[in-house]
C-alpha cells in the first residue's frame, strides 16, 4: 500500500465464513487519492469485500452476505487553525451485520487477537482513534 506498509496497515483479525478466509484491516492512507485503498488491496489479490468495481468474481459471492462495499472511514483527523481536529464514527449497522457472518479463523481460542478485535469492532470499543493503540496480529504471530 505504501512504502512502509507496517506504519500504514494493521491486520487486526483473521476471519472465516466456513468457505473463505478474510482479514480485517485498519489502513492509514497517505494521500487520500481516489480509490487508493481499494486499488492497492485489489492489486495485491485481497480486494475489499463486496467491491463491485475492483473485486472481480468475488463480488458475486460477497454480495450474498454483505450488502455494500466493506470500507468504512472510522476516523478523520486534520490540522485546523486551533490545532488538530478529529471525528470518529461507529461501524454502520449493515457492516456490523456482515461481520456477524464471520468467525475468527480456527474457532474460539485459536487466535485471541482475532476474537478480541472482532468483538471490539462489533461493540464500538475501538473508537478512541489512537493509531498507536490499535492491536495487530503481527505481535501474536511472532510468538
Amino acid at each position: 500500500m505504501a512504502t512502509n506498509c507496517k506504519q500504514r496497515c494493521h491486520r487486526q483479525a483473521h476471519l472465516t465464513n466456513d468457505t473463505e478466509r478474510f482479514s480485517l484491516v485498519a489502513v492509514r492512507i497517505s494521500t487520500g487519492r481516489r480509490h487508493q485503498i481499494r486499488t492497492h488491496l485489489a492489486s495485491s489479490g485481497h480486494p475489499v469485500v463486496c467491491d463491485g468495481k475492483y473485486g472481480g468474481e468475488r463480488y458475486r459471492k460477497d454480495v450474498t452476505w454483505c450488502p455494500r462495499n466493506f470500507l468504512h472511514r472510522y476516523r478523520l483527523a486534520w490540522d485546523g487553525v486551533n490545532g488538530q481536529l478529529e471525528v470518529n464514527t461507529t461501524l454502520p449497522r449493515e457492516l456490523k451485520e456482515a461481520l456477524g457472518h464471520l468467525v475468527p479463523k480456527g474457532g474460539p481460542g485459536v487466535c485471541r487477537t482475532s476474537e478480541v478485535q472482532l468483538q471490539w469492532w462489533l461493540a464500538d470499543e475501538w473508537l478512541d482513534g489512537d493509531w498507536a493503540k490499535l492491536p495487530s496480529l503481527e505481535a501474536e504471530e511472532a510468538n
Side-chain angles (χ1 to χ4, degrees), residues 1-10 25-31 36 131:
M1 292 202 105
T3 305
N4 190 345
C5 189
K6 289 187 185 245
Q7 291 179 346
R8 303 248 179 238
C9 185
H10 283 288
V25 180
V27 178
R28 185 179 207 170
I29 61 172
S30 56
T31 64
Q36 178 183 12
W131 182 258

Side-chain angles (χ1 to χ4, degrees), residues 11-24 101-116 118 137 140-141:
R11 285 179 303 130
Q12 295 194 286
H14 288 284
L15 307 169
T16 184
N17 67 358
D18 293 329
T19 60
E20 296 180 271
R21 296 180 310 187
F22 302 90
S23 293
L24 183 60
H101 290 275
L102 305 175
V103 296
K105 184 177 87 172
V110 174
C111 181
R112 184 70 183 136
T113 301
S114 291
E115 289 180 59
V116 168
L118 181 58
L137 289 168
E140 184 167 322
E141 290 173 347

